Amino acid sequence: MIADFFRRLTAAKDEPLDASDARLALAALLVRVARANDEYTTSEVAKIDVILARHYPDLDATGAAALRAEAEEIEASAHDTVKFTRSVKDAVDLDDRMEVVEALWELVLADGERDHEEEGALRLIAPLLGINDRDSAHARQRVEARLS
């Protein structure tokens, strides 16, 4: 299953990922950022589930948790952040990638603190997704405004 996902992800350069693979890729990036500081907490798990359920309205709490659990396996198998993220960039439209960066900022800022390892992971991932620093900063500001 995991090998099939990576095969589809790397083969998708010329066409967008199908909806289920795109969901899994987003969820795996959320998990990657949450695990960046080696403290993958229950509050981060819960926040990922909330983000996924909000981003994908057809998912209930159980569906979001199942997607996150599958993403945890994918993330653990994706040893190369650069290659994995570039594959997502090649397969996902720019507007959707902007939403991914905003969701990543939401996760990083959820507890009211900007953990430097999580923020560092996001700052690595955003440009690899084709999102420049200015647009990432705007995404962060939108999230901060929503959270305040």
Side-chain angles (χ1 to χ4, degrees):
M1 177 196 80
I2 293 172
D4 290 341
F5 171 77
F6 285 117
R7 199 171 9 266
R8 289 189 307 273
L9 185 65
T10 56
K13 284 189 179 241
D14 296 326
E15 54 191 66
L17 287 174
D18 71 32
S20 63
D21 284 347
R23 286 178 184 209
L24 190 52
L26 166 61
L29 287 175
L30 288 165
V31 170
R32 173 68 43 109
V33 169
R35 287 180 170 169
N37 64 355
D38 295 324
E39 294 177 23
Y40 189 48
T41 65
T42 56
S43 64
E44 289 171 320
V45 168
K47 186 61 179 179
I48 290 170
D49 291 353
V50 167
I51 290 170
L52 292 172
R54 188 185 66 243
H55 199 71
Y56 302 110
D58 62 312
L59 286 179
D60 61 9
T62 303
L67 176 59
R68 186 223 348 112
E70 188 177 359
E72 290 168 348
E73 292 180 41
I74 294 293
E75 187 278 334
S77 299
H79 301 293
D80 185 348
T81 299
V82 173
K83 186 175 181 180
F84 177 69
T85 307
R86 282 192 179 149
S87 296
V88 172
K89 176 188 173 224
D90 291 340
V92 177
D93 292 333
L94 179 61
D95 290 342
D96 292 333
R97 286 182 272 136
M98 240 350 265
E99 288 180 24
V100 168
V101 170
E102 202 161 314
L104 292 169
W105 274 116
E106 185 177 347
L107 179 63
V108 168
L109 300 172
D111 60 2
E113 297 179 24
R114 287 172 66 173
D115 180 271
H116 70 278
E117 282 115 353
E118 291 175 348
E119 188 171 335
L122 196 153
R123 291 186 183 276
L124 168 70
I125 290 169
L128 293 172
L129 289 172
I131 306 300
N132 63 41
D133 287 340
R134 183 179 55 92
D135 289 340
S136 178
H138 286 265
R140 186 196 74 235
Q141 291 166 354
R142 285 190 299 275
V143 170
E144 289 172 332
R146 275 197 318 265
L147 295 176
S148 62

